């Protein structure tokens, strides 16, 4: 394997030659033009051999390691890199790598890495998110295909994605976690309807609801075996938490505590200085606490990253980071409300609404999405600390029995 | 605790842990509660024989460089002091060694180092002042140079092992800055009022200086020029204090997790109740965060990074805030037994509460951080 310092020099040279410095584009949903730029950029990186650094070469990756990925991310910091691949490359791709059959892997992973194909997850449903294994979407096996019916919700980027990994129930008499399968569903297939969900801010949709009406997909699109759906889903959630927290395969793809949050905190200080609260010691305490939390979150991310890279930490450490984000973000939004007072929530006609109020409205996104704080707390206490589960019979009863309890 | 410890550092940690378990188990710490000093000279000699006091000393003066990052090495030992809530002036010794080692100008106190690391010479650092004052800008204790003499006046409070020390490093204001001097315990004009603390074995004294006259050779560094050195000492002290707190919190946490698995209520271990284990999960997050920020601070200190001071105050703020919250809630998770003298949890609570306040509360440091954010 290529020496890490040799790689650093090679990456550095290529980045300086080929990438441009970040100009500070606004975050949030991206227009068609920006997305095309992302795709072009991803292809360029792929063609140069820098996409999928930790992915084996037989699937189009570079066959290097997560350490190389970390070095790449460090060298590319400050440069414009393709946005919008965290889910596809940081979460879906490693899940497919872990559980997909050879046909699927060889066909799709190179396309994902090249940016030609974008994958998303289809896990939560209108009837449940945290209890994901209670999925009601149906998969019926036919001779050489499956027929999918049902609906999925909260799928980010479904409007522009090509494939979705969909958790669906095959066996209704098996216990909840054992009757499931994971399916690769082409989102442009016949019978798929995708509708936007307008977020609480009233702004453009970034998550969607999908309806599947007799969608027929080939047999080989089953990821893992029949009955392995929950195992695959858990692996996917594991990669999701890691990517969200900026560790593992998702490193450098946009997760974790970013520079954006640094500038946001600096804004709070600027706002404080402009308002009556600047000299208020109680508000000063809040601002400093928020700032300290931000710095410490980044330090924790580095620590967990180091531990995972060295193999000293194994398993669900992304959950710890995700929980931290889910606690810090609402606190930060609350501090901003305190600092800005009326100016955070009242504005003049014709002016753009203030970020402070809207940020506060949407701050629970991170503490709910991708496994709520409560789910992360279960994972941390049970999987990292080894505390026992709450007793329950939902793991052993046939799912059809559980369904009878719903009203 | 760092995750990526070197072989030598791992050995140091294991050695320190075994040493504490053998030589300073909790019952022995309890035994010291009624003693005046909180520890014995014999104990301090043992600590010194283990080489723990030499980690912050320059190698040329008999110190031991383990990893080339002395503060990180010393923090490993500080953490074990915390796990054992062990007695002894580990922090003041490290700070004084730091002060002597960085006094390159005169180097006049280097002869003290062998005595210091062998445990024969006990030292203290007189920094804070009455009214929980930890801002050097607000210090009132003053030093002036008059001919070939130094004259020291004022009061220093919260001086760890101040009544036991043979020699005290005093940080005071002078005409154009900060000045540091060594004051022997028997200096005329020095009066020492011993004091106790919430901690079982950590004693703090108040030192009053009334026209204490010292020779010029007592100066540590140049007069008026001590600010940089004091900043380094404070960083080191804050970070070793954080490491110690982390050790205490970690052990109290382990104790409580163990208890929660054994204690049954309503037919199952209390560790299985989400209402409790969700709080435990938050604590795990905070404990790992506390270790991460302490380690980042130590790394910056050893590397003399530009933001080292900020990172040390951030570590103190975070660690101190979370530590008392955690150990207090651990008592809640434990239940009634945690309200008894015989149950050990309060030994850790005591150390943590003292560390929260000494060298500045998180509230104090947050105001400082806010000031620098606004600057």
């Amino acid at each position: 394997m290529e020496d890490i310092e040799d790689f650093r020099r090679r990456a550095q040279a290529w980045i300086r030659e080929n990438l441009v410095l970040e100009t500070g584009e606004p975050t949030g949903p991206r227009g068609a033009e920006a997305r095309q730029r992302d795709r072009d950029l991803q292809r360029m990186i792929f063609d140069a051999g820098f996409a999928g650094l930790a992915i084996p070469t037989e699937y189009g990756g570079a066959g290097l390691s997560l350490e190389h990925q970390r070095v790449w991310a460090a060298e590319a910091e400050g440069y414009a890199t393709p946005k919008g691949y965290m889910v596809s490359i940081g979460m879906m791709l490693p899940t497919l790598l872990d559980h997909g059959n050879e046909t699927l892997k060889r066909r799709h992973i190179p396309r994902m890495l090249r940016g030609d194909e974008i994958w998303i997850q289809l896990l939560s449903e209108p009837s449940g998110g945290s209890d994901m294994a209670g999925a009601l979407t149906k998969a019926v096996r036919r001779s050489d295909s499956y027929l999918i019916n049902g609906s999925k919700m909260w799928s980010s980027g479904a409007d522009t994605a090509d494939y979705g990994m969909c958790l669906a129930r095959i066996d209704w008499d098996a216990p909840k976690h054992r009757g499931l399968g994971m399916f690769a569903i082409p989102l442009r297939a016949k019978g798929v309807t995708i509708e936007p969900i307008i977020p609480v801010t009233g702004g453009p949709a970034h998550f969607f609801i999908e309806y599947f009406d007799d969608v027929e997909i080939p047999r080989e699109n089953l990821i893992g075996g029949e009955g392995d759906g929950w195992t695959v889903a858990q692996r996917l959630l594991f990669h999701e938490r890691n990517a969200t927290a900026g560790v593992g395969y998702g490193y450098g793809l946009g997760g974790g505590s970013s520079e954006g949050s640094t500038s946001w905190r600096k804004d709070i200080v600027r706002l404080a200085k402009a308002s009556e609260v600047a000299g208020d010691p109680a508000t000063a305490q809040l601002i400093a606490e928020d700032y300290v939390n931000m710095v410490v979150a980044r330090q924790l991310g580095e620590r967990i990253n180091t531990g995972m890279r060295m193999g000293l930490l194994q398993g669900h450490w992304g959950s710890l980071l995700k929980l931290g984000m889910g606690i810090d973000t609402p606190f930060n939004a609350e501090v901003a409300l305190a600092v800005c007072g009326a100016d955070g929530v009242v504005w003049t006609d014709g002016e753009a609404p203030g970020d402070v109020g809207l940020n506060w409205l949407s701050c629970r996104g991170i503490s709910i999405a991708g496994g709520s704080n409560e789910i992360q707390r279960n994972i941390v206490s049970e999987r990292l600390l080894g505390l026992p589960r709450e007793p329950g019979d939902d793991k052993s009863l046939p799912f059809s029995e559980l369904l009878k309890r719903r009203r | 605790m760092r995750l990526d410890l070197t072989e030598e550092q791992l050995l140091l940690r294991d050695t320190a842990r075994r040493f504490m378990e053998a030589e300073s188990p909790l019952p022995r710490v309890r035994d010291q509660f009624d003693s005046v000093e909180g520890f014995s000279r014999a104990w301090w000699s043992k600590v010194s024989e283990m080489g723990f006091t030499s980690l912050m000393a320059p190698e040329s003066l008999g110190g031991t460089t383990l990893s080339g990052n002395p503060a990180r090495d010393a923090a490993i030992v500080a953490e074990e002091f915390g796990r054992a809530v062990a007695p002894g002036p580990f922090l003041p010794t490290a700070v004084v060694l730091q002060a002597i080692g960085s006094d390159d100008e005169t180097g006049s106190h280097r002869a003290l180092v062998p005595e210091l690391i062998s445990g024969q010479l006990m030292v203290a650092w007189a920094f804070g002042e009455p009214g929980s004052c930890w801002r050097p800008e607000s210090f009132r204790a003053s030093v002036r140079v008059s001919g070939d003499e130094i004259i020291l006046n004022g009061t220093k409070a919260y001086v760890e092992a101040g009544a036991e020390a043979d020699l005290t490093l005093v940080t005071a204001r002078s005409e154009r800055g900060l000045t540091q001097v060594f004051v022997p315990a028997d200096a005329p004009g020095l009066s020492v009022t011993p004091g106790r603390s919430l901690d079982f074995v950590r004693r703090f004294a108040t030192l009053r200086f009334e026209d204490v006259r010292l020779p010029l050779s007592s100066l540590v560094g140049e007069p008026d020029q001590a600010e940089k050195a004091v900043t380094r000492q404070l960083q080191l002290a804050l970070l070793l204090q954080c490491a110690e707190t982390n050790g205490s919190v970690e052990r109290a946490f382990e104790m409580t997790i163990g208890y929660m698995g054994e204690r049954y209520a309503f037919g199952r271990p209390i560790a299985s109740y989400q209402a409790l284990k969700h709080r435990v999960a938050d604590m795990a997050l905070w404990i790992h965060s506390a270790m991460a920020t302490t380690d980042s601070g130590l790394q910056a200190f050893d590397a003399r990074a530009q933001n080292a001071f900020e990172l040390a105050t951030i570590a103190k703020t975070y660690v101190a805030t979370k530590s008392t919250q955690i150990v207090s809630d651990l008592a809640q998770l434990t239940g009634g037994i945690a309200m008894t003298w015989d149950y050990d949890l309060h030994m850790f609570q005591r150390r943590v509460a003292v560390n929260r306040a000494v060298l500045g509360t998180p509230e104090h440091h947050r105001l400082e951080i806010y000031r620098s954010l606004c600057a």
Side-chain angles (χ1 to χ4, degrees), chain A residues 62-320:
Chain A
L64 297 169
S65 70
L66 288 174
E67 180 67 15
H68 292 83
Q69 185 168 337
R70 195 185 65 81
V71 167
W72 165 267
E75 294 302 327
E77 201 173 320
Y79 288 88
T81 47
K83 313 256 180 327
Y85 289 96
M86 190 169 91
V87 173
S88 186
I89 295 180
M91 308 176 193
M92 302 300 120
L93 189 154
T95 310
L96 194 59
L97 188 66
D98 292 340
H99 291 287
N101 55 52
E102 279 305 303
T103 314
L104 279 181
K105 289 204 278 196
R106 284 180 191 273
R107 185 192 301 151
H108 293 285
I109 292 180
R111 292 182 193 167
M112 293 161 99
L113 285 176
R114 198 160 181 250
D116 291 343
E117 223 169 68
I118 291 182
W119 285 48
I120 58 162
Q121 51 177 311
L122 301 168
L123 299 176
S124 293
E125 299 189 356
S127 59
S130 287
D131 185 13
M132 190 175 291
L136 298 177
T137 296
K138 278 179 207 163
V140 175
R141 182 163 19 113
R142 295 193 159 179
S143 56
D144 56 355
S145 67
Y146 287 95
L147 207 58
I148 310 286
N149 277 284
S151 60
K152 292 286 173 180
M153 201 171 176
W154 311 119
S155 331
S156 302
D159 55 334
T160 54
D162 304 289
Y163 269 82
M165 260 189 216
C166 178
L167 186 66
R169 190 164 306 278
I170 302 170
D171 183 350
W172 296 73
D173 293 323
K176 182 167 82 172
H177 297 84
R178 282 185 241 146
L180 298 162
M182 186 70 86
F183 299 90
I185 298 191
L187 292 173
R188 311 235 166 73
K190 188 166 161 283
V192 179
T193 311
I194 298 173
E195 286 181 2
I197 300 170
I198 306 301
V200 67
T201 54
H206 46 87
F207 33 62
F208 297 81
I209 184 163
E210 301 79 25
Y211 301 96
F212 306 110
D213 187 11
D214 281 341
V215 178
E216 190 169 11
I217 55 166
R219 194 91 185 260
E220 71 207 28
N221 281 24
L222 176 68
I223 300 166
E226 285 190 359
D228 291 342
W230 182 243
T231 308
V232 181
Q234 280 192 300
R235 195 66 190 161
L236 168 47
L237 295 173
F238 170 77
H239 290 306
E240 174 180 26
R241 287 187 293 267
N242 283 351
T244 308
V247 298
Y249 286 102
Y251 193 96
L253 293 174
S257 308
S258 63
E259 289 305 309
S261 62
T262 315
S263 65
W264 167 239
R265 257 84 167 184
K266 279 189 187 136
D267 282 348
I268 287 190
V269 173
R270 185 176 50 76
L271 292 167
K273 286 165 93 171
S275 86
E276 285 288 313
V277 303
D280 171 31
T283 313
Q285 291 283 328
L286 288 176
I287 292 174
E289 188 173 0
D290 185 45
Y291 177 71
V292 166
N293 287 346
M294 177 200 61
V295 174
V296 174
R298 199 178 305 149
Q299 292 169 331
L300 178 66
E302 283 164 19
R303 176 183 166 90
I304 301 292
N305 254 309
T306 304
M308 288 176 78
R309 244 185 1 259
M310 296 180 66
L312 295 166
L313 299 179
Q314 279 160 4
H316 299 262
W317 290 89
S319 284
L320 201 69

Side-chain angles (χ1 to χ4, degrees), chain A residues 269 272-273 278 284-285 287-289 291-293 295-296 299-300 303 307 310 312-313 317 320 323-324 327 374 377-378 380-382 385 387-391, chain B residues 1-4 253 257 268-269 271-275 277-278 280-282 284-285 288-289 291-293 296 310-311 314 317-318 363 366-367 369-370 373-374:
Chain A
V269 173
K273 286 165 93 171
Q285 291 283 328
I287 292 174
E289 188 173 0
Y291 177 71
V292 166
N293 287 346
V295 174
V296 174
Q299 292 169 331
L300 178 66
R303 176 183 166 90
M310 296 180 66
L312 295 166
L313 299 179
W317 290 89
L320 201 69
L323 176 59
I327 294 174
E374 289 70 24
R377 287 183 177 115
N378 279 350
V380 169
S381 57
E382 289 166 16
L385 300 172
L387 303 189
R389 267 177 63 87
E390 289 260 5
Chain B
M1 172 62 60
R2 281 194 70 74
L3 288 173
D4 49 344
F253 183 73
I257 295 284
R268 54 186 165 111
S272 66
Y273 290 94
Q274 283 193 336
K277 67 186 184 186
H278 280 193
V280 168
D282 286 353
L285 168 68
H288 281 280
S289 300
M291 290 181 174
T293 189
S296 297
E310 189 195 20
L311 292 186
I314 282 176
T317 305
Y318 189 88
E363 291 74 18
R366 268 188 224 116
L367 278 184
I369 289 167
Y370 180 68
L373 280 177
C374 289

Side-chain angles (χ1 to χ4, degrees), chain B residues 311-363:
Chain B
L311 292 186
T313 58
I314 282 176
K316 162 79 199 210
T317 305
Y318 189 88
V319 170
T321 303
K322 297 303 185 194
S323 63
T324 44
Q325 285 175 8
I326 292 170
V327 293
S328 175
D329 202 32
L330 289 178
Q332 181 71 28
L333 291 170
T334 302
I337 191 79
M339 293 291 97
T340 66
W341 181 258
D342 286 345
Y343 194 70
D344 290 330
L345 187 65
H346 67 113
M347 298 176 76
F348 302 97
Q349 290 183 300
R350 287 164 179 270
R351 176 66 53 92
V352 163
V354 169
N355 281 355
R356 184 191 198 279
V358 172
L359 298 174
T361 59
E363 291 74 18

